[in-house]
Amino acid sequence: MVSAVDARKAAPSPPIGRGLSYPPLPQEAMESLASYLPAFQVRRVIARGGPPSEPSAETHQAVVLFVDVTGFTQLTEELGQRGPAGAEQLSDALNLYFGRLTDLVTAHGGEILLFAGDAALALWPCTPEALGATAAVAAGCALAVCQELSGFSPAPDIVLRQRAAIGAGPVVMMEVGGSEGEWHLLVAGDAIRQAAAADSQARTGEVVLSAETWAGVKGVCRGEGLSGGHVRLVTAPKAVPLPAPALASGAELERVLAPYLPRVVRARIQTGHGAWIAEFRQVSVLFVTLDDLDFRASETLGRVQRAMTAMQTTLHRFEGSVYQCLMDDKGTTMVGAFGLPPHALED
């Protein structure tokens, strides 16, 4: 599922984690390794030959699809009462739902950026000239997701429902961190802000487009106007399914991607336990929201980097870790966690 270009040889990167290092992964584990990162990031990191030597930021044009799912909280609470068996059932339900969502996005030429709780963010990077045509493809994908996954029932009396929103325009791709060899990708900017605003007007089963997205697709799509220039999508052209990109492989892939992976994922894939990551644990979660960020300003990279460095060094000191750095409908947030493997805290 991952496209890549030939990797350039480079000096070994620092071991991930607190001086932790692991033997090379077996060849069959490479697909699992790459699947934890967005495909465009895999291509980008391999082309460069590894993580950056310093924080970096690049601005691109892209179409963003935000899919917000309801019903997972109830599902998690019910299965959480069943112990280890419930954890496996929850893992199966998540894989079925988000696996099919991923297949639909990939078939329409998009790439999953991240899963944030019970929501998914997908991305279609493109040129400025292709923004409208790309948005039309993403619109068709959003309708397919809402139609095919409508009424998905992973357990008796529990039905998952979703709504979707689309934004189109500039995004900034930042790579920040570097403390103890760990790096994080933050994709932020106007396209995500648009999708978040459009999502606030979407009801269950609906797809809502931002005004900027509608301007590029109104010649080929039908919609109904909403307040603020948003448009509820009615029809969109059906896209021809695209072949899955070739898988990147080789020992070089492991070396350049390891600094972006959570330590627990890297360790469990190494020990052959990649299929057994699902478990219920007592954890404490820390959300840090970064307010008043202007992603068009040059100084924003430095502000985000200082915040990430403070998060990484402080959490590592107390045996925590930075789980995610993201922009979604709740703003720009860094998420930390205490109690994730390999640490187990009594209280």
Side-chain angles (χ1 to χ4, degrees):
M1 293 174 60
V2 179
S3 296
V5 296
D6 292 337
R8 300 194 304 269
K9 292 185 178 180
S13 58
I16 61 175
R18 196 165 311 172
L20 297 176
S21 60
Y22 303 97
L25 288 174
Q27 185 66 31
E28 60 269 18
M30 291 300 174
E31 183 173 358
S32 294
L33 184 74
S35 69
Y36 284 90
L37 299 173
F40 72 85
Q41 185 184 6
V42 173
R43 295 191 299 268
R44 196 162 167 246
V45 174
I46 290 179
R48 189 176 55 215
S53 57
E54 59 183 12
S56 64
E58 297 178 1
T59 300
H60 300 271
Q61 294 293 311
V63 178
V64 171
L65 167 63
F66 182 72
V67 180
D68 198 1
V69 188
T70 59
F72 270 125
T73 300
Q74 180 187 358
L75 177 65
T76 302
E77 291 175 351
E78 179 174 313
L79 296 182
Q81 301 174 8
R82 304 180 187 179
E88 293 302 321
Q89 291 171 330
L90 180 60
S91 178
D92 290 342
L94 290 171
N95 286 334
L96 283 172
Y97 184 90
F98 285 119
R100 184 53 188 153
L101 189 154
T102 300
D103 290 342
L104 288 168
V105 169
T106 302
H108 287 81
E111 300 174 351
I112 294 293
L113 174 60
L114 55 85
F115 297 111
D118 52 6
L121 204 61
L123 193 72
W124 280 259
C126 62
T127 63
E129 298 77 18
L131 195 62
T134 304
V137 173
C141 176
L143 286 178
V145 167
C146 287
Q147 291 167 2
E148 182 164 331
L149 294 176
S150 176
F152 182 87
S153 180
D157 301 322
I158 295 179
V159 177
L160 302 182
R161 295 182 172 86
Q162 60 285 309
R163 61 181 187 266
I166 299 177
V171 296
V172 179
M173 299 181 181
M174 292 184 175
E175 289 184 271
V176 292
S179 177
E180 302 191 40
E182 295 181 2
W183 290 88
H184 290 266
L185 174 71
L186 170 63
V187 179
D190 192 56
I192 298 178
R193 178 197 60 76
Q194 294 174 31
D199 178 66
S200 68
Q201 296 198 25
R203 296 176 298 191
T204 299
E206 293 182 345
V207 179
V208 173
L209 312 181
S210 69
E212 294 86 346
T213 305
W214 178 247
V217 304
K218 60 184 179 182
V220 294
C221 297
R222 286 198 306 113
E224 300 171 349
L226 301 171
S227 63
H230 298 101
V231 174
R232 181 183 299 111
L233 185 64
V234 177
T235 63
K238 290 187 177 181
V240 177
L242 301 174
L247 171 68
S249 61
E252 189 74 0
L253 177 64
E254 175 195 356
R255 183 189 65 76
V256 300
L257 296 186
Y260 297 91
L261 293 173
R263 279 174 281 173
V264 58
V265 171
R266 178 64 176 79
R268 291 194 176 186
I269 292 177
Q270 169 59 43
T271 56
H273 296 156
W276 301 96
I277 290 179
E279 63 176 308
F280 289 116
R281 292 177 69 97
Q282 293 290 335
V283 300
S284 295
V285 180
L286 170 67
F287 287 80
V288 176
T289 300
L290 306 180
D291 292 325
D292 302 322
L293 292 179
D294 181 358
F295 288 98
R296 298 166 297 180
S298 59
E299 64 269 17
T300 300
L301 174 61
R303 291 184 60 191
V304 176
Q305 172 62 16
R306 288 192 295 273
M308 175 57 72
T309 300
M311 277 281 283
Q312 286 184 316
T313 55
T314 304
L315 265 64
H316 288 168
R317 191 192 326 156
F318 293 98
E319 297 189 337
S321 57
V322 179
Y323 170 64
Q324 271 184 331
C325 182
L326 70 152
M327 180 181 183
D328 61 5
D329 58 321
K330 300 174 183 62
T332 304
T333 307
M334 294 186 296
V335 185
F338 299 89
L340 294 178
H343 303 294
L345 306 179
E346 181 178 349
D347 183 351

